Amino acid sequence: MNSSILYREYDWGSDEYGQALILRNRLLRRPLGLCLYDEVLSAEKDFLHFGAFQEGQLLATLLLVPEENGLYRMKQVAVEEAFQRQGIGLGLLQFCEAALRGKGAVGIVLHARKTAEPFYVKAGYVPTGEPFTEVGIPHQAMEKRWG
C-alpha cells in the first residue's frame, strides 16, 4: 500500500465533498445513464464521508449512513480508475471500520455490485440473502459485524 495515501473523514459541503461528487457521478452514475446531481444530496449532510487522499487530491470515497442497532450502511464506494487494484479501496475500508469501532458501531451492511462482491469477501464481508437488481444492475447484500 502506498504510504503517501492519507485516509480521513471530510465534511459534507466541503471542497473534498465536491471532489467526491464528481468521482461518484463519473464512476457510479454516468455508466448507468444516471446523474448524481439529479438526486437529493441534502440527505447526505447527516452521513459520514470518508476519503483516500494523495497530495490533497481525492482518490477514493465512500459514505456511511447510521442505521439502527449500532450498524452503518456503506454506500457510494468509488476509487479512481488509475488507482484501483492497488489496495487503496481496502485501506479506506479498514480505516472506516476502525473509525466506526471507535464510535461504538457493531458492523457495516451494504449492497455490493456483483462485480465488487469478491473485493468485499476478501475484506471479510459475508453475503446475506439472494442477489437482487438495484439501479438496473445485479447486487448482493453483504455485512461485516464485529460487535
Side-chain angles (χ1 to χ4, degrees):
M1 206 177 321
N2 193 326
S3 62
S4 68
I5 304 297
L6 174 67
Y7 300 100
R8 64 179 172 82
E9 192 171 352
Y10 60 88
D11 294 327
W12 180 86
S14 65
D15 289 341
E16 294 92 342
Y17 180 74
Q19 289 182 49
L21 291 178
I22 292 167
L23 179 64
R24 289 165 46 201
N25 192 53
R26 181 167 38 84
L27 295 183
L28 303 176
R29 289 299 186 248
R30 256 197 249 147
L32 303 176
L34 303 171
C35 180
L36 182 67
Y37 300 99
D38 292 339
E39 300 175 23
V40 179
L41 299 173
S42 61
E44 295 184 0
K45 190 173 194 173
D46 298 324
F47 299 172
L48 302 179
H49 304 265
F50 287 90
F53 297 86
Q54 186 174 50
E55 298 176 7
Q57 191 65 32
L58 180 77
L59 305 181
T61 187
L62 61 78
L63 305 177
L64 291 163
V65 183
E67 300 245 318
E68 295 179 356
N69 302 321
L71 291 171
Y72 280 77
R73 177 167 304 280
M74 187 183 305
K75 299 175 60 159
Q76 297 282 299
V77 179
V79 179
E80 282 284 6
E81 295 100 331
F83 293 92
Q84 291 177 4
R85 296 179 183 17
Q86 295 180 28
I88 294 170
L90 182 60
L92 180 58
L93 206 59
Q94 292 169 340
F95 179 85
C96 292
E97 290 170 2
L100 290 180
R101 281 186 183 98
K103 295 177 186 290
V106 298
I108 296 174
V109 295
L110 59 91
H111 291 172
R113 291 180 179 199
K114 285 297 280 182
T115 55
E117 186 178 353
F119 166 79
Y120 290 108
V121 167
K122 181 180 175 184
Y125 288 73
V126 177
T128 59
E130 295 298 316
F132 59 96
T133 300
E134 188 171 68
V135 292
I137 55 175
H139 280 74
Q140 175 65 55
M142 303 186 80
E143 67 178 26
K144 182 175 187 180
R145 294 178 188 247
W146 53 78

